[in-house]
Amino acid sequence: MALPEIASREEWRAARAELLVREKAATRARDALNAERRRLPMVEIEEEYLFEGGDGKATLLDLFEGRHQLVVHHFMFAPEWDAGCRSCSAFLDQIGHLAHLKARGTTFAAVSRAPYPKILPFKARMGWTVPWYSSYGGRFNRDFEVTLETGGEQTERPGISCFLRDGDRVFHTYSTYERGLDGLGSTTSLLDLTALGRQEEWEEPAGRASALGAPAGSVRIRYHDEYDF
């Protein structure tokens, strides 16, 4: 096994300080990239997608649960499978308490092609409480490029798609797939994919922090049992 070299505490501190310079540069570069993502144009959704969830039939607008933003995890679970994808399951295991996303006007939900009666027992087995919907029989997965036609057969791939609501109008703002999900799972990492971001005053482009008519995002952080929802 190729282990790290052994050094004195002083040598370690010097090496750590040198690395910290590059880490801070990477953080600034990531902030700039997130700002460019927020500057992407958005596309209005005109298709009437229909899903099935715990409360029966639902539209894409319903998935927002009245909030301004929606983050959809395209969970790989084909209709003919008996269980969900292991890698997608590991990803969903990382999702923390949803209250902190909700406090920033953002809803998180998983969507799969499997019929809801197949999803429900698997969700119970995994102990998940996140909203999970079936897109069975619809075009949602194909339109958002997570169900692909390859050699006459359908194949699945994981992804994340973000949506923004303006009244009853729904817009697609961003999607990423496969390795694009690496490092995601925390509240801030998911918010960084959205059009409104973390809703902090320092974020660019300016004006997004007050888009929801509320104080900056960090000011709204509470213990998860102190929120009003």
Side-chain angles (χ1 to χ4, degrees), residues 37-38 69 71 106 162 173 190-198:
R37 185 184 294 113
R38 290 189 290 273
Q69 296 195 123
V71 176
T106 303
C162 300
T173 60
L190 293 173
L191 289 171
D192 283 343
L193 303 182
T194 67
L196 300 183
R198 305 183 191 189

Side-chain angles (χ1 to χ4, degrees), residues 34-48:
N34 290 338
E36 288 303 307
R37 185 184 294 113
R38 290 189 290 273
R39 291 187 180 99
L40 284 173
M42 59 186 184
V43 179
E44 186 163 8
I45 304 298
E46 298 178 347
E47 182 79 17
E48 291 292 333

Side-chain angles (χ1 to χ4, degrees), residues 60-94:
L60 186 59
L61 182 61
D62 292 330
L63 269 58
F64 281 76
E65 298 180 349
R67 300 183 184 91
H68 285 78
Q69 296 195 123
L70 170 67
V71 176
V72 168
H73 175 210
H74 299 288
F75 190 112
M76 293 170 57
F77 195 162
E80 64 273 17
W81 297 358
D82 294 323
C85 164
R86 289 183 174 86
S87 294
C88 291
S89 298
F91 177 85
L92 205 54
D93 279 336
Q94 300 175 110

Side-chain angles (χ1 to χ4, degrees), residues 12-39:
W12 180 89
R13 286 197 182 98
R16 178 68 189 94
E18 182 180 343
L19 179 61
L20 183 60
V21 173
R22 296 198 292 273
E23 288 178 336
K24 289 186 175 181
T27 297
R28 289 191 292 270
R30 184 187 64 205
D31 288 342
L33 181 62
N34 290 338
E36 288 303 307
R37 185 184 294 113
R38 290 189 290 273
R39 291 187 180 99

Side-chain angles (χ1 to χ4, degrees), residues 170-207:
V170 175
F171 299 88
H172 175 221
T173 60
Y174 184 72
S175 286
T176 189
Y177 309 98
E178 298 171 337
R179 288 292 305 277
L181 277 67
D182 287 0
L184 299 180
S186 67
T187 296
T188 51
S189 69
L190 293 173
L191 289 171
D192 283 343
L193 303 182
T194 67
L196 300 183
R198 305 183 191 189
Q199 298 150 45
E200 301 288 356
E201 295 294 349
W202 55 265
E203 288 181 307
E204 294 289 339

